[in-house]
Amino acid sequence: MQSGSHNAFETAQKQFDNAAGILGLDQATRDLLRTPMREYHFSIPVRMDDGSVQIFKGFRVQHNDSRGPGKGGIRFHPLETVDTVRALAMWMTWKCAVVDIPLGGAKGGVICDPHNLTPRETEQVCRGWVRQIARNVGPLLDVPAPDVMTNPQNMLWMLDEFEAIHGGKYPGFITGKPLGIGGSQGRTEATGYGVIYTLREALKEMKIDIATTVASVQGFGNVSQYAVDLYTKLGGKILSVSSWDNTEKKSFTFRKASGVKFDELKGITDPFGGISRAKAQEIGYEVLPGDAWIEQDVDILIPAAMEHQITKDNVPKISKRVKIIVEGANGPTTTEADELIKARGIFLIPDFLANAGGVTCSYFEQVQCNMNYFWEKEEVLSKLDTKMTAAFHAVHEMSKKRNVYMRDAAYLIAVSRVAQACRDRGWV
Ligand code: NAD
């Protein structure tokens, strides 16, 4: 999704170039890592319920698989672009490397709006996407997962189509599957919980008691909901969340001075993370403009919606009280905004570290599918916590040791690991 004049792939490349410069990477490694190794663009014909045929545009981008099979979600969005998918694939490579799981980076997408599709049409988009790419993805090649506006049911239709094409059972083809059909306990919560595990560790380092903190969140989808859930369980107060209103085609912020309650808000939210304005007002939420989430008097900001939401224009609106920004979304901060945040000394937990809980749990899902033995939820979440906590501290140590911004520290670790794998394989 291209937002305003910002191009996510350019953002990702600028971030990489900066890290490559600090690391002094040789030219061949830079050339290899600043673009995807492979990408597929295809058309997905779908017979709609009214009998007409609509052609949807689909993508799969495989950025780098030197550390293992590609891994990354599939996004359904009307404003999806191949450059966004390229950026997301590249960020997946760094994400898997920073949490040190043996996977590479990939991402997929379809330009479509699931709000306007019936369940049968959505199923046909899912199956059609797999029919076009079935020979270039798979448990040993590239493993998809859910992302924006895709869900476990979509993953199951995709798995079913893949298995029909290849004639066998391949639960390791895709992650984020429903429980009981190859899914892992904790996968739904994993990304949001992972965001809060890293935040909890940052607060400990800053000697701040989480129960004294207040946060504002952008988005109320899969990532945001479970971030809100765990943060409030740990005693923090959420002052506001925002979400996209698909009827008005704009976003709104929902604020409650006494604190947002997960169950209360979830009960009035549609399957795509859209909060009902009328119902929110009925139960005492103030409804404010979409960008109000960033201007709140809070300690913590959690962007967990889309890319390029924090810009040079709205950074000046961030309250002086804000001490930490935790990037739940991929690429929520533009390059210019990043400089301003760094200059203000706000502690940033960068996207591919903060939201790595999803892919880490997806990796656990693959491991469980390979064993055909599934762990209890507590075991999954405890393993997830261990991985996220270790990754946070490794990045934080690097940031202190090299005296660099947390985003740069995360890049230094991730890019070094991937570059090393490319060298070890003799690619560069
Ligand atoms: P989702 O589709 O479940 O939810 C997206 C949320 O953002 C919804 O509440 C929607 O209303 C809101 N939104 C969309 N546009 C908005 C706008 N302009 N202003 C305010 N709110 C807006 O998606 P998700 O899975 O929660 O993903 C959110 C972000 O996290 C994306 O950047 C995604 O790539 C990233 N991410 C997701 C996962 C995962 O496991 N789902 C993992 C890692 C990263």
Side-chain angles (χ1 to χ4, degrees), residues 3 65 151 161 178 193 237 244 249 255 346 377:
S3 151
D65 55 10
N151 60 36
E161 191 67 25
Y193 276 23
K237 179 169 116 175
W244 181 255
K249 301 286 178 221
R255 183 170 69 183
I346 298 174
K377 190 169 186 175

Side-chain angles (χ1 to χ4, degrees), residues 271-309:
F272 305 109
I275 300 168
S276 159
R277 268 185 304 144
K279 290 182 187 155
Q281 272 165 332
E282 266 171 35
I283 56 172
Y285 283 82
E286 281 174 86
V287 180
L288 306 171
D291 50 6
W293 76 278
I294 204 170
E295 303 167 12
Q296 300 303 309
D297 181 34
V298 292
D299 307 290
I300 297 154
L301 291 176
I302 309 179
M306 303 302 284
E307 58 278 359
H308 295 143
Q309 298 299 307

Side-chain angles (χ1 to χ4, degrees), residues 1 75-77 88 92 95 107 115 146-150 187-188 190-192 218-225 242-245 250-252 269-275 290 293 303-307 309 328-332 351 355-359 362:
M1 186 184 143
R75 196 180 266 200
F76 285 179
H77 200 285
L88 292 163
M92 284 308 300
K95 196 178 298 189
K107 199 83 182 190
H115 289 100
D147 193 71
V148 171
M149 287 204 270
T150 54
R187 177 61 185 87
T188 308
T191 311
Q218 188 188 35
F220 198 61
N222 175 256
V223 178
S224 166
Q225 287 176 11
S242 69
S243 85
W244 181 255
D245 186 313
K250 59 182 183 180
S251 56
F252 292 94
T269 300
D270 71 25
F272 305 109
I275 300 168
W293 76 278
M306 303 302 284
E307 58 278 359
Q309 298 299 307
N330 286 308
D351 49 5
N355 68 31
V359 75
S362 281

Side-chain angles (χ1 to χ4, degrees), residues 372-405:
N372 206 7
Y373 175 77
F374 290 81
W375 305 325
E376 297 300 326
K377 190 169 186 175
E378 291 64 37
E379 186 169 0
V380 175
L381 292 178
S382 129
K383 284 183 162 69
L384 180 67
D385 195 346
T386 304
K387 271 277 184 207
M388 294 300 294
T389 299
F392 172 85
H393 287 289
V395 172
H396 190 227
E397 280 307 308
M398 174 66 81
S399 141
K400 287 193 289 190
K401 190 170 115 198
R402 300 281 300 253
N403 194 23
V404 292
Y405 190 46

